Amino acid sequence: MAHDIAHHESNTKRIWNVFWLLSAVTIVEVVLGIFKPDVLNNVVLGMKILNWIFIILTLYKAYLITWAFMHMEGEAKGLRRSVVWTGVFLVCYLLFILLTEGDYVHEVFNKGYKAWDF
Amino acid sequence: MSCGFISSVFYYLCKENILRILTFATLEKNSFYNMSTTVLKTGTEGSIWGGGEDVQPLKASYGKLMMWFFILSDALTFSGFLAAYGFSRFKFIDSWPIADEVFNHFPFLHGVDAPMYYVALMTFILIFSSVTMVLAVDAGHHMKKNKVVTYMALTILGGFIFLGSQAWEWKNFIKGEYGAIETKGRQILQLVDTDGHRVKVSEIAIASHSDRVQHEGKNGLWYESESKLPSYTVEEVIAGVEANPNVLVRTQILNEEGEKTVLSRAASIAKLKKDGALVVEGANLVRNEYGSPLFADFFFFITGFHGFHVFTGVMINIVIFFNVLLGTYEKRGHYEMVEKVGLYWHFVDLVWVFVFTFFYLV
């Protein structure tokens, strides 16, 4: 644990900085979620700008929590990659498959011959 | 037939015994040559990494690595749930409930439309308890026992407050507020006035005498019972709508502006009379006054599974808290255990960040 102690000399400042960052991002999300400015309702690349902002900010918060709070920034490269890359790759794959399929089922429901709201 | 069966049983019994004798012999031989172990040599010893102090590919302790592997697999579980939620939402993309209309309560603000505020508060509670946790870990690195105790206690407190908040959120969701009418096709029809404000079913329904009572095991067939009957029948609601000229029916279908479609007065009454099947109050796993039953199912399942994680996190934190108090880690010389439960606690916060986005924002 020797290298850990050397590493963690004064981490409290960084912790509080990350806390303020996380809070600021959450406040921005909440304000946007309540007011939903009309400009941001335009669709870009198949999704509303507002939703793009929410998802990007969420990923940013996830990055902050993992890197600063879970101390991923101080771990060995091998550990970091084996956790982050595995997770990110599998989640992207899962989302691609399930969302594509969900969209397809929606099409079938609306354009198919079978009535489902009878 | 039976002869063949017996002989094959005999064969397997013999084979079993032969194997056992052979294994025994090998073990005997091995322990004869090497008294300290009975493990069979495989001949591949040179190609297997045996660990050791000088080779540390991941530079982390066994416990921490295992916590990371657990977190990775748990993250994939949650991703599976959230992706399944996404699937269902894409499937009903043009009739999915609007979260701002579902979760708009705040304590002591009765009847005030307050979307987002409460869930934002819950998010802050969880972020703050994450901060106190990481401060406890930091204090542990400096071997400051009293600071670790204080911060762990604050973390546990934050966890309990979050759990309580979630219970309140569930209570509001289950109880419902306005009520709705379910159609024969299991679509949800809600009532609004001409300004677009929601109207409570209980406010307009004209109660009439009904002989229909809840069938309980004690007063009917003892092996059959049914859940609580809705407060009103569809006929009573229709009578109420007819008596109130400014009440309209709102369907679940989203129009181009992303708002629910409101029917005209004539179409409202016609729709209710033609398709109305049941009055729905609140939400459960089968019916949901806010719209698609899948919305309620996923809400209960995902926030429930997350809440279960928070609960286990609090329990584990309590155990570690007492270990810190007893000086276990002081004696051990390091507070890595606090770090490991800290990882779990931050993970719970991480999941909430995603639940928050996909249930309340997007």
Side-chain angles (χ1 to χ4, degrees):
Chain A
M1 294 295 106
H3 79 277
D4 265 355
I5 291 169
H7 237 271
H8 287 271
E9 262 169 33
S10 177
N11 244 351
T12 37
K13 215 177 153 191
R14 165 125 174 95
I15 293 166
W16 284 109
N17 278 341
V18 171
F19 169 70
W20 292 119
L21 263 178
L22 284 172
S23 306
V25 171
T26 308
I27 289 169
V28 168
E29 283 180 337
V30 169
V31 168
L32 285 178
I34 291 170
F35 292 106
K36 292 193 168 77
D38 264 347
V39 198
L40 300 178
N41 277 330
N42 297 320
V43 176
V44 173
L45 296 174
M47 195 160 65
K48 279 184 195 169
I49 300 175
L50 199 61
N51 288 356
W52 279 115
I53 295 175
F54 286 148
I55 289 171
I56 290 167
L57 288 180
T58 302
L59 291 175
Y60 179 60
K61 283 206 286 186
Y63 159 78
L64 283 177
I65 291 172
T66 321
W67 256 248
F69 286 179
M70 297 170 99
H71 201 250
M72 213 31 148
E73 58 197 2
E75 301 295 348
K77 206 184 263 176
L79 173 55
R80 196 170 65 226
R81 287 181 179 174
S82 64
V83 171
V84 178
W85 289 9
T86 312
V88 168
F89 171 75
L90 287 171
V91 170
C92 290
Y93 177 68
L94 192 67
L95 282 177
F96 169 70
I97 293 287
L98 280 179
L99 296 187
T100 311
E101 184 69 9
D103 196 43
Y104 168 72
V105 175
H106 173 73
E107 297 280 303
V108 171
F109 265 174
N110 283 279
K111 291 181 186 155
Y113 297 108
K114 208 164 181 169
W116 57 285
D117 180 12
F118 36 90
Chain B
M1 173 76 192
S2 70
C3 186
F5 174 69
I6 289 166
S7 68
S8 65
V9 166
F10 184 68
Y11 168 72
Y12 280 111
L13 282 175
C14 285
K15 198 177 147 198
E16 178 91 6
N17 275 331
I18 291 163
L19 279 176
R20 196 172 294 160
I21 291 160
L22 282 175
T23 320
F24 187 64
T26 326
L27 288 175
E28 279 284 296
K29 194 174 125 220
N30 228 35
S31 52
F32 179 76
Y33 288 118
N34 180 3
M35 296 298 281
S36 63
T37 174
T38 54
V39 176
L40 295 170
K41 296 284 183 214
T42 54
T44 54
E45 289 79 17
S47 59
I48 294 171
W49 179 56
E53 285 296 304
D54 47 336
V55 193
Q56 296 177 329
L58 300 178
K59 292 190 183 64
S61 71
Y62 175 81
K64 228 164 121 178
L65 278 185
M66 291 305 114
M67 184 49 94
W68 271 115
F69 280 127
F70 167 70
I71 286 174
L72 179 60
S73 67
D74 217 23
L76 291 174
T77 308
F78 271 109
S79 310
F81 293 158
L82 281 172
Y85 170 80
F87 170 86
S88 301
R89 190 167 169 172
F90 270 49
K91 185 171 154 187
F92 297 117
I93 196 76
D94 54 7
S95 60
W96 200 250
I98 299 168
D100 282 354
E101 293 180 357
V102 180
F103 308 105
N104 58 357
H105 298 80
F106 200 86
F108 309 116
L109 292 180
H110 295 288
V112 177
D113 180 43
M116 300 291 303
Y117 296 109
Y118 189 65
V119 70
L121 179 73
M122 283 169 72
T123 308
F124 278 116
I125 291 166
L126 212 53
I127 290 177
F128 198 75
S129 85
S130 232
V131 170
T132 53
M133 186 77 232
V134 76
L135 287 171
V137 174
D138 196 62
H141 285 302
H142 302 289
M143 302 299 286
K144 289 176 184 157
K145 183 183 159 183
N146 289 335
K147 269 194 162 180
V148 178
V149 169
T150 316
Y151 287 133
M152 291 274 320
L154 284 173
T155 308
I156 292 165
L157 186 70
F160 274 124
I161 295 174
F162 181 85
L163 283 172
S165 314
Q166 210 165 34
W168 194 76
E169 181 97 325
W170 272 47
K171 185 219 85 184
N172 285 326
F173 187 71
I174 292 169
K175 221 176 102 206
E177 193 171 0
Y178 296 102
I181 295 98
E182 194 180 272
T183 68
K184 287 178 222 154
R186 298 209 56 195
Q187 304 297 304
I188 288 293
L189 304 175
Q190 294 162 332
L191 301 178
V192 290
D193 61 19
T194 38
D195 298 327
H197 297 297
R198 294 287 302 276
V199 172
K200 284 185 187 178
V201 164
S202 57
E203 273 174 8
I204 60 140
I206 296 170
S208 60
H209 176 71
S210 169
D211 286 330
R212 181 75 169 83
V213 291
Q214 184 184 359
H215 184 159
E216 290 171 290
K218 65 178 184 198
N219 59 11
L221 295 173
W222 58 269
Y223 51 84
E224 269 183 10
S225 60
E226 63 183 1
S227 50
K228 203 166 151 267
L229 292 177
S231 318
Y232 301 98
T233 64
V234 177
E235 289 70 35
E236 287 165 349
V237 176
I238 292 173
V241 172
E242 281 178 329
N244 290 275
N246 63 336
V247 173
L248 301 170
V249 161
R250 198 176 78 156
T251 65
Q252 287 301 298
I253 305 299
L254 294 163
N255 60 21
E256 275 163 19
E257 285 86 48
E259 288 158 358
K260 302 282 182 192
T261 313
V262 179
L263 301 179
S264 68
R265 175 79 185 155
S268 296
I269 291 170
K271 180 84 178 162
L272 281 176
K273 282 186 173 162
K274 185 170 156 280
D275 293 335
L278 188 75
V279 173
V280 182
E281 291 162 311
N284 52 46
L285 290 172
V286 186
R287 299 203 154 76
N288 174 9
E289 71 159 53
Y290 309 101
S292 171
L294 276 173
F295 180 83
D297 296 344
F298 277 109
F299 176 75
F300 287 128
F301 198 71
I302 295 179
T303 64
F305 198 62
H306 175 264
F308 176 67
H309 274 73
V310 178
F311 178 73
T312 31
V314 169
M315 291 301 128
I316 297 166
N317 275 343
I318 288 174
V319 172
I320 302 303
F321 172 74
F322 280 111
N323 277 344
V324 174
L325 269 188
L326 293 171
T328 311
Y329 308 119
E330 204 69 26
K331 277 178 225 147
R332 198 175 283 178
H334 60 81
Y335 279 84
E336 208 198 52
M337 208 57 178
V338 178
E339 210 174 324
K340 279 181 273 192
V341 295
L343 282 179
Y344 181 68
W345 191 252
H346 298 314
F347 170 70
V348 168
D349 185 25
L350 185 67
V351 171
W352 181 255
V353 165
F354 285 93
V355 172
F356 173 63
T357 301
F358 293 111
F359 262 98
Y360 298 91
L361 286 176
V362 169

